[in-house]
Amino acid sequence: RMSRHAQQLRDHDRNPCVAETDASRKCMDDNNYNKDMCTAYFLKYKSCRKFWHDIMMQRRRNGVKPEMPSAEERKKILESMG
């Protein structure tokens, strides 16, 4: 059974970067934990976190709730950006 924190990290409505997390972890597993082999995955994860953090901060400043858009809303945001 997963801890509450682990469940939140797996929740697509709360964590916009589940796919990037999984890809990084898989890369590490596949490459015997050689971080140098997974730099591109780490950068994608970092960009994802920064992008959604900035959106969350903007929504907080504007009084928008919830501060993190739902998975469905995030999909629309990304599609609108091309």
Side-chain angles (χ1 to χ4, degrees):
R1 183 161 152 67
M2 279 195 282
S3 69
R4 178 172 297 159
H5 180 69
Q7 286 173 335
Q8 287 176 354
L9 291 177
R10 301 299 310 157
D11 181 345
H12 288 269
D13 280 330
R14 295 184 96 146
N15 179 1
C17 302
V18 172
E20 290 77 5
T21 303
D22 291 347
S24 296
R25 192 167 291 136
K26 182 180 181 331
C27 180
M28 289 292 281
D29 289 343
D30 292 349
N31 290 286
N32 204 20
Y33 293 83
N34 178 350
K35 288 183 177 156
D36 296 336
M37 301 293 287
C38 302
T39 307
Y41 293 97
F42 297 151
L43 289 174
K44 275 186 195 164
Y45 172 78
K46 199 171 167 184
S47 317
C48 178
R49 295 296 303 171
K50 180 181 179 346
F51 178 81
W52 291 112
H53 177 76
D54 292 347
I55 287 193
M56 199 170 80
M57 296 313 291
Q58 186 65 50
R59 286 168 66 105
R60 185 176 292 164
R61 278 193 294 275
N62 295 341
V64 177
K65 297 279 183 193
E67 290 165 357
M68 176 55 71
S70 69
E72 190 56 39
E73 198 178 343
R74 289 195 309 267
K75 188 176 167 206
K76 290 178 182 152
I77 290 169
L78 291 174
E79 283 169 357
S80 76
M81 296 173 72

